[in-house]
């Protein structure tokens, strides 16, 4: 009898301790992930990762088709955005939207032959191009306060967030701003590097080799 | 004002509390450089969102300018490629 009683007691104790440990570790992980989300785009390692990806993408851009019509500025921007989306590791909606939009553009360009769309529009007149669009906002004009309108504008700015509810847009925007700031830091550093070396020739001595960060 | 907002949210389906929204707005507020420097805590949500939109637009413009600059620098082939290789080795 005593053994029967003690066995479940020990089992529950061990279960409780296991559950407590699991809960504690999960809470710690959540807190760490939140902290990581806040400072993820500010860490040096993240910027270095992004810079190396950017360099790879840029070397592909310049080698393939130099001096296209807009001078490749748009191509550089697209490559930088793609590298940024890859650096986000697909955890956010805007990064996935950037990556999928590139694929959609490629498929659309292959499917549509160039002359057909223009001819269709000219033959059928303007009836095809003008689709009557009933915007959802017309249903309840009074219940859209300024906050909602501004959040919608914000949703259009952040890629992939046009039809998302309000808290999703706000969360995506916070991550997107951090990522953009990191992109600007990395690109300006790269531009300074290129312009500095270009101006001074190859005489500038490389800085002392710093050991890469081993932790994190 | 908060009750109206909660009613309009409930028509969307999921329950989103005002506190959650305020939390997210304050998080955004911390990121914006302009509002962070001012010492006023009472910044309205609409103002924060407006500043966010402006800030994202300015960041986009900066990225566009930087990419233009980078494309011009990359157009000069030899020095650019050497610099890229050098920076790769340095990292």
């Amino acid at each position: 009898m005593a053994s029967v009683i003690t066995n479940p007691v020990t089992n529950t104790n061990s279960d409780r301790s296991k559950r407590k440990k699991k809960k504690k570790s999960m809470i710690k992980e959540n807190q760490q992930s939140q902290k990581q989300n806040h400072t993820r785009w500010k860490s040096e390692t993240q910027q270095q990762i992004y810079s190396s990806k950017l360099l790879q993408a840029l070397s592909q851009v310049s080698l393939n088709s130099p001096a296209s019509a807009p001078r490749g500025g748009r191509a550089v921007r697209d490559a930088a955005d793609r590298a940024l989306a890859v650096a986000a590791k697909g955890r956010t909606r805007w990064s996935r939207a950037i990556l999928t939009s590139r694929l959609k553009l490629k498929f659309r360009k292959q499917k549509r032959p160039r002359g057909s769309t223009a001819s269709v529009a000219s033959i059928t007149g303007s009836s095809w191009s003008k689709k009557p669009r009933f915007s959802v906002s017309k249903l309840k004009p009074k219940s859209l306060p300024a906050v909602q309108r501004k959040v919608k504008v914000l949703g259009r700015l952040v890629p992939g967030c046009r039809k998302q509810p309000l808290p999703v847009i706000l969360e995506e925007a916070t991550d997107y701003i951090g990522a953009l700031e990191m992109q600007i830091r990395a690109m300006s550093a790269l531009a300074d590097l290129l312009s500095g070396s270009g101006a001074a020739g190859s005489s500038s001595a490389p800085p002392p080799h710093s050991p890469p960060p081993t932790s994190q | 004002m908060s009750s109206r907002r909660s009613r309009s949210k409930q028509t969307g389906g999921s329950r989103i509390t005002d506190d959650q929204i305020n939390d997210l707005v304050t998080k955004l507020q911390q990121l914006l450089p302009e509002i962070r420097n001012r010492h006023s805590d009472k910044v309205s949500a609409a103002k924060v969102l407006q500043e966010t939109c402006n800030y994202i637009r300015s960041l986009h413009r900066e990225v566009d300018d930087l990419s233009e600059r980078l494309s011009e620098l990359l157009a000069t082939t030899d020095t650019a490629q050497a610099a890229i290789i050098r920076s790769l080795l340095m990292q």
Side-chain angles (χ1 to χ4, degrees):
Chain A
M1 282 288 283
S3 62
V4 171
I5 292 172
T6 49
N7 275 335
V9 167
T10 52
N11 281 338
T12 50
N13 273 339
S14 63
D15 283 341
R16 265 188 228 161
S17 60
K18 279 183 190 173
R19 277 180 220 160
K20 277 188 186 173
K21 281 183 186 174
K22 278 186 186 175
K23 274 189 185 176
K24 278 188 185 173
S25 63
M26 274 181 64
I27 290 174
K28 278 186 186 174
E29 278 177 12
N30 280 338
Q31 285 177 349
Q32 278 178 2
S33 67
Q34 281 180 6
K35 284 184 189 173
Q36 278 177 7
N37 280 335
H38 283 305
T39 58
R40 194 163 56 139
W41 296 112
K42 295 195 177 177
S43 63
E44 266 298 312
T45 51
Q46 184 63 253
Q47 193 167 332
Q48 283 181 3
I49 292 172
Y50 175 67
S51 309
S52 55
K53 290 198 170 128
L54 180 64
L55 282 173
Q56 286 175 9
L58 284 178
S59 57
Q60 287 177 0
V61 165
S62 62
L63 288 174
N64 284 336
S65 59
S68 52
R71 250 261 172 134
R74 181 72 218 185
V76 171
R77 167 89 200 265
D78 288 341
D81 283 342
R82 241 183 317 140
L84 192 66
V86 171
K89 292 182 189 171
R91 282 189 211 134
T92 50
R93 279 190 183 78
W94 59 261
S95 57
R96 293 194 288 264
I98 289 179
L99 293 173
T100 51
S101 69
R102 302 277 309 168
L103 290 172
K104 281 182 192 172
L105 276 175
K106 277 187 188 176
F107 282 128
R108 275 190 205 161
K109 277 185 185 175
Q110 286 176 5
K111 277 187 181 177
R112 278 191 196 169
R114 288 173 194 175
S116 65
T117 52
S119 58
V120 164
S122 62
I123 287 170
T124 58
S126 58
S127 60
W128 275 78
S129 56
K130 275 190 191 173
K131 279 185 185 176
R133 278 189 194 172
F134 292 108
S135 59
V136 182
S137 62
K138 279 187 185 176
L139 292 172
K140 289 182 185 178
K142 289 182 184 176
S143 71
L144 287 180
V147 175
Q148 287 251 30
R149 267 187 284 126
K150 299 217 159 123
V151 167
K152 281 201 176 171
V153 172
L154 191 59
R156 266 186 275 137
L157 279 176
V158 178
C161 293
R162 285 193 189 189
K163 290 181 185 175
Q164 303 290 337
L166 188 140
V168 171
I169 294 183
L170 291 180
E171 258 193 71
E172 293 285 320
T174 43
D175 195 57
Y176 190 53
I177 288 179
L180 278 180
E181 285 175 351
M182 190 206 69
Q183 188 183 27
I184 288 178
R185 280 198 299 268
M187 286 176 71
S188 53
L190 184 61
D192 286 341
L193 192 70
L194 286 177
S195 60
S197 69
S202 58
S203 58
S204 58
H209 181 68
S210 58
T214 51
S215 62
Q216 290 177 356
Chain B
M1 203 169 96
S2 58
S3 60
R4 274 185 219 160
R5 229 189 282 166
S6 59
R7 267 183 223 161
S8 60
K9 284 294 167 295
Q10 277 172 6
T11 53
S14 57
R15 257 189 285 159
I16 303 164
T17 60
D18 285 337
D19 285 338
Q20 272 184 327
I21 297 176
N22 282 329
D23 255 352
L24 290 167
V25 170
T26 44
K27 252 200 269 175
L28 263 182
Q29 192 177 328
Q30 298 302 318
L31 289 175
L32 300 174
E34 295 181 6
I35 298 186
R36 208 173 28 190
N37 293 332
R38 295 186 206 165
H39 291 290
S40 63
D41 286 328
K42 296 178 191 174
V43 187
S44 69
K47 176 92 180 174
V48 169
L49 290 171
Q50 183 68 44
E51 292 294 322
T52 309
C53 293
N54 295 338
Y55 189 50
I56 290 184
R57 277 194 212 114
S58 69
L59 286 178
H60 279 169
R61 253 181 287 139
E62 217 174 316
V63 171
D64 280 335
D65 289 340
L66 276 175
S67 56
E68 281 291 331
R69 202 174 138 198
L70 272 180
S71 69
E72 285 173 19
L73 286 170
L74 286 172
T76 65
T77 51
D78 286 326
T79 51
Q81 285 181 5
I84 286 176
I85 294 171
R86 210 183 305 139
S87 64
L88 277 171
L89 289 173
M90 287 195 295
Q91 281 183 5

